[in-house]
Amino acid sequence: MSELFALSMPWWEFILRAVVVYVVVLAMVRVAGKRALGQFTPFDMLLLVLLGNAVQNALLGRDTSLGGGLLLAATLIAMNYVVGWITTRSAVVERVIEGEPVVLARHGHVLQKVLRRELVSKADFAKALRDAGSDQVDDVDLALLETNGHITIILKKGSR
């Protein structure tokens, strides 16, 4: 029973590993772009599962103890809380971590290069347009790719 909580490395190494993995994976997800986060497809679910499996060894090393796993979980939850706390108090940190909305269309003109750069398909844009209550690009006053990956469309006055 004592082996259940016996750590195979010092406690601080678990915390260091968790912090490093958290920061690196956060940076990778941030570089992947907003659209990757906003559209949760079966492929994204697969990526999430494989990503968790890929970083498992980086987190645990040779340790398989209950104590090590719980320490890692607590550290990751704490890191997530700290990042959330900091981003609500610093506009600069929020901009770095979450990014800024990106203009996809303005005054009835779709910015095709931006759509490609942000990995937004024409079908996704058309769906967002329909969700906003229109099927005409000419009705768009402003379309934004939000920091959470969703598309917000503001129609011109009188377009509905």
Side-chain angles (χ1 to χ4, degrees):
M1 186 65 128
S2 64
E3 296 162 4
L4 193 61
F5 292 98
L7 304 178
S8 67
M9 54 189 167
W11 64 268
W12 57 265
E13 191 172 331
F14 284 95
I15 293 173
L16 178 63
R17 284 171 176 263
V19 169
V20 169
V21 169
Y22 185 93
V23 170
V24 171
V25 171
L26 178 64
M28 288 178 181
V29 168
R30 182 71 182 89
V31 168
K34 295 175 198 74
R35 202 57 189 156
L37 298 175
Q39 292 265 42
F40 204 73
T41 66
F43 300 108
D44 297 320
M45 179 64 145
L46 177 62
L47 176 64
L48 187 62
V49 169
L50 293 175
L51 185 60
N53 193 43
V55 300
Q56 177 183 0
N57 289 340
L59 288 168
L60 287 171
R62 295 180 311 260
D63 194 281
T64 57
S65 70
L66 180 61
L70 293 175
L71 183 56
L72 283 170
T75 302
L76 292 171
I77 290 169
M79 285 292 299
N80 201 53
Y81 177 82
V82 168
V83 167
W85 187 85
I86 291 171
T87 57
T88 60
R89 286 158 179 78
S90 170
V92 173
V93 173
E94 180 182 23
R95 208 170 24 258
V96 168
I97 294 202
E98 295 185 16
E100 294 180 313
V102 175
V103 175
L104 299 176
R106 188 186 317 256
H107 308 302
H109 177 71
V110 177
L111 306 173
Q112 296 296 335
K113 288 182 181 178
V114 177
L115 286 180
R116 278 192 299 278
R117 183 186 73 223
E118 298 294 332
L119 305 176
V120 176
S121 70
K122 291 178 183 178
D124 288 339
F125 187 83
K127 181 185 181 314
L129 186 58
R130 288 190 303 276
D131 289 346
S134 179
D135 60 352
Q136 299 292 320
V137 174
D138 292 338
D139 293 342
V140 174
D141 189 35
L142 184 66
L144 297 169
L145 178 60
E146 302 291 352
T147 60
N148 64 3
H150 295 287
I151 299 171
T152 298
I153 297 191
I154 301 168
L155 300 174
K156 294 177 183 173
K157 299 226 187 289
S159 294
R160 284 192 175 179

